[in-house]
């Protein structure tokens, strides 16, 4: 939950300047009264009826007086906006809370409050606020919802001032606005062991020595349950208490999520398109692996890595998982198709090796890109690919080619290169595919006579 900045609006002569602004604020009723008054005055002159002149003057003066009084009214109001939450998954609702404070010494008249929102979030909310006493406040709220991910501005607030007769209406705008971030849908995934471990830390993980030699060992205080064979007697004699060697430190397991954003690799658009499924699938895997204790990064076909901390691009130990997840979700909220034609830039990033588990979400592939992906597999101990070819997403099921078509050939090439490659049909569940990938990996490992990486 975040709080928006506050702004102030003042209804006085200095903001818009000139009586022309007040006259431009006349409503249809006010213009009708003014026109009727002028017409009555002309008729009274032509017909010689003095009583009709009095009626005409009353009709013409009333909207002018209302406009002048409303324009000269001086009071100050402060407005604030609070989003709950400020980051929401696509298809879910967020509530926007508006608060108006009368910071002047005079009560206000009738106020009409309007907040500007993009069309995709729903209709523009409008509220009527009755008289607000001096120092008083009013709070209202409305809900917004979008099926399309993105970043949407909310505001600025607009305040409409009107007189009791409805003859004139003036608009004042606040200067501040906020941003609602609609992130991709995240589907909970089963805790499978695609990389041979169920946690981000474990005995099967690589370990690194704390320091090189016996003289450089960094000791720590003895804890109940520590092996007495690890007692460092030199440090114990120095500090006067039992100290044990801290010889090994487990490295945090790594996972790279590769998202293919090439525009030529996908067909169709909208929340049910293949590209949106790939973005949602990547978000689901990122969140799942972070929850499992992995150090995770998001990599696109352009070679850009998120969060990008340090030289390897992974979320380091100094960065909390929640912060890393928020940064990657914000990136996925606005990610769009790239103009690239291949995956060579992503391969250049992965050439260093030690990338951990590689999970790829891919669009249409040709033979060259399948070959690049085969070389990527050599740099990772485990690799899973979800392939979303256009044939299964934009055509009717009866028109979808069989397994021996071009996309089927690409899947075969990936599997021969060591990938656990799955074709993603339209409307597939990410959790079911995740489980299927684990079953296929275990099947391959059993056929080869051992547990895979």
């Amino acid at each position: 939950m975040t709080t928006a900045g506050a702004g102030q609006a003042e209804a006085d002569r200095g903001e818009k300047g000139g009586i022309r602004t007040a006259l431009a604020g006349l409503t249809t009723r006010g213009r009708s009264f003014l026109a009727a008054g002028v017409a009555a005055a002309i008729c009274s002159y032509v017909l010689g009826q003095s009583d009709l002149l009095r009626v005409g003057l009353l009709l013409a003066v009333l909207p002018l007086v209302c406009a002048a009084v409303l324009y000269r009214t001086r009071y100050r109001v402060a407005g604030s906006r609070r989003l709950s939450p400020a980051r929401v998954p696509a298809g879910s609702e967020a509530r926007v809370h508006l608060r108006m404070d009368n910071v002047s010494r005079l009560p206000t008249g009738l106020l009409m409050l309007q907040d500007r929102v993009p069309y995709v979030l729903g209709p523009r909310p409008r509220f009527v606020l009755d008289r607000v006493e001096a120092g008083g406040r009013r709070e209202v709220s409305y809900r917004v919802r979008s099926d399309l991910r993105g970043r949407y501005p909310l505001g600025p607030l607009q305040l409409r001032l009107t007189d009791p007769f409805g003859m004139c209406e003036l608009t004042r705008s606040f200067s501040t606005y906020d941003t609602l971030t609609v992130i991709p849908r995240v589907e909970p995934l089963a805790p499978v062991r695609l990389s041979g471990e169920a946690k981000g830390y474990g005995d099967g993980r690589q370990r690194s020595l704390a320091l090189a030699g016996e003289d450089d060992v960094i000791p720590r205080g003895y804890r109940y349950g520590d092996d007495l064979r690890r007692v460092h007697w030199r440090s114990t004699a120095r500090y006067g208490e039992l100290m044990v060697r801290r010889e090994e430190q487990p490295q945090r397991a790594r996972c790279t999520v590769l998202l293919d954003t090439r525009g030529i690799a996908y067909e169709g658009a909208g929340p049910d398109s293949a590209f949106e499924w790939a973005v949602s699938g990547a978000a689901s895997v990122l969140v799942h692996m972070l929850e499992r204790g992995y150090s995770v990064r998001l990599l696109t076909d352009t070679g850009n890595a998120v969060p990008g901390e340090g030289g390897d691009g992974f979320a380091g130990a100094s960065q909390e998982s929640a912060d890393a997840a928020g940064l990657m979700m914000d990136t996925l909220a606005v990610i769009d198709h790239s103009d690239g034609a291949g995956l060579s830039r992503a391969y250049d990033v992965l050439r260093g090796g030690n990338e951990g588990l590689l999970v790829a979400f891919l669009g249409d592939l040709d033979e060259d890109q399948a070959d690049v992906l085969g070389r990527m597999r050599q740099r990772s101990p485990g690799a899973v690919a979800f392939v979303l070819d256009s044939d299964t997403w934009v055509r009717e099921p009866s028109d979808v080619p069989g397994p021996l078509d071009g996309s089927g050939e690409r899947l075969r090439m990936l599997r021969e290169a060591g990938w656990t490659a799955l074709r993603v049909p339209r409307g597939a569940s990410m959790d079911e595919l995740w489980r299927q990938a684990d079953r296929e990996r275990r099947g391959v490992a059993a056929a080869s006579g051992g547990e895979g990486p």
Side-chain angles (χ1 to χ4, degrees):
M1 181 180 297
T2 60
T3 302
Q8 289 189 347
E10 180 180 1
D12 65 324
R13 290 181 298 175
E15 278 198 355
K16 300 298 181 180
I19 195 62
R20 184 179 301 175
T21 302
L23 295 178
L26 288 175
T27 62
T28 301
R29 179 184 299 178
R31 295 176 186 274
S32 300
F33 268 65
L34 183 60
V38 174
I42 294 176
C43 291
S44 68
Y45 176 77
V46 173
L47 301 176
Q49 297 291 330
S50 59
D51 293 336
L52 187 58
L53 178 61
R54 297 188 186 94
V55 174
L57 291 176
L58 177 61
L59 294 175
V61 169
L62 180 59
L64 297 178
V65 171
C66 290
V69 172
L70 182 65
Y71 185 74
R72 293 177 61 86
T73 300
R74 302 172 64 92
Y75 54 85
R76 300 178 68 89
V77 292
S80 62
R81 183 188 299 103
R82 188 178 77 249
L83 307 182
S84 177
R87 185 188 290 117
V88 62
S92 301
E93 290 184 344
R95 182 169 289 274
V96 183
H97 301 268
L98 303 178
R99 171 176 163 179
M100 301 297 300
D101 294 273
N102 183 9
V103 296
S104 66
R105 299 180 179 180
L106 299 176
T108 69
L110 188 67
L111 302 178
M112 289 184 291
L113 187 64
Q114 175 178 277
D115 203 6
R116 300 185 63 181
V117 300
Y119 174 76
V120 295
L121 296 183
R124 182 169 296 181
R126 295 181 175 88
F127 305 93
V128 177
L129 304 181
D130 203 354
R131 179 179 180 273
V132 182
E133 65 279 5
R137 71 178 59 168
R138 297 290 186 271
E139 294 184 2
V140 294
S141 65
Y142 64 93
R143 293 179 294 183
V144 292
R145 179 181 181 274
S146 175
D147 292 327
L148 298 175
R149 56 185 177 81
R151 294 173 62 87
Y152 301 101
L154 299 179
L157 280 171
Q158 290 183 336
L159 196 63
R160 293 186 178 182
L161 316 177
T162 184
D163 64 280
F165 300 102
M167 298 289 180
C168 186
E169 183 179 278
L170 298 180
T171 301
R172 297 290 183 264
S173 296
F174 292 84
S175 59
T176 58
Y177 67 92
D178 292 287
T179 302
L180 175 68
T181 303
V182 180
I183 62 176
R185 295 182 180 91
V186 175
E187 185 175 350
L189 303 180
V192 300
R193 301 177 62 181
L194 290 173
S195 59
E197 292 291 342
K199 295 291 184 181
Y201 297 94
D203 295 335
R205 293 294 185 265
Q206 297 178 358
R207 293 177 177 271
S208 59
L209 294 178
L211 287 174
E214 176 70 17
D215 295 336
D216 296 327
V217 171
I218 300 178
R220 61 170 174 83
Y222 175 82
R223 299 172 186 170
Y224 179 78
D226 285 338
D227 191 347
L228 292 178
R229 290 175 297 181
R230 296 176 56 193
V231 173
H232 193 252
W233 297 109
R234 183 179 302 176
S235 298
T236 298
R238 178 179 179 183
Y239 292 103
E241 59 176 334
L242 280 178
M243 306 293 290
V244 296
R245 295 187 301 271
R246 186 167 53 188
E247 296 175 341
E248 295 179 329
Q249 294 179 341
Q251 283 187 344
R252 195 177 187 186
R254 290 180 169 184
C255 176
T256 298
V257 177
L258 172 62
L259 177 60
D260 182 8
T261 64
R262 296 173 298 142
I264 62 174
Y266 300 92
E267 294 184 19
D272 296 327
S273 64
F275 181 67
E276 293 301 323
W277 193 99
V279 174
S280 178
S284 301
V285 173
L286 288 169
V287 172
H288 174 76
M289 301 307 285
L290 283 171
E291 291 175 350
R292 302 294 295 173
Y294 282 74
S295 180
V296 181
R297 73 174 173 183
L298 171 66
L299 180 65
T300 67
D301 58 287
T302 61
N304 295 326
V306 181
E309 178 180 301
D312 55 7
F314 285 89
S318 62
Q319 189 171 13
E320 297 294 336
S321 295
D323 296 334
L327 180 59
M328 287 183 281
M329 289 300 104
D330 289 344
T331 301
L332 290 176
V334 297
I335 200 167
D336 202 353
H337 292 294
S338 68
D339 298 329
L343 302 172
S344 57
R345 294 183 180 178
Y347 172 71
D348 292 339
V349 176
L350 297 172
R351 292 179 63 179
N354 193 25
E355 307 300 333
L357 176 64
L358 177 60
V359 182
F361 292 86
L362 308 168
D364 291 335
L365 300 173
D366 56 24
E367 186 174 350
D368 293 336
Q369 304 315 315
D371 181 67
V372 173
L373 288 168
R375 297 198 301 270
M376 287 185 188
R377 172 62 180 89
Q378 301 173 3
R379 304 293 180 178
S380 300
V384 182
F386 299 96
V387 183
L388 299 90
D389 62 282
S390 299
D391 289 336
T392 61
W393 283 85
V394 300
R395 295 174 176 85
E396 295 298 328
S398 59
D399 299 331
V400 176
L404 297 180
D405 66 346
S407 60
E409 178 65 19
R410 306 297 177 259
L411 288 174
R412 185 189 63 81
M413 293 177 60
L414 293 179
R415 288 164 182 163
E416 290 181 351
W419 285 82
T420 302
L422 301 177
R423 173 184 286 181
V424 181
R426 181 168 53 186
S429 169
M430 181 62 209
D431 182 55
E432 293 179 0
L433 291 173
W434 188 249
R435 296 173 185 266
Q436 181 181 348
D438 178 58
R439 291 193 297 267
E440 292 197 7
R441 186 199 65 83
R442 290 178 181 273
V444 173
S448 61
E451 188 74 14

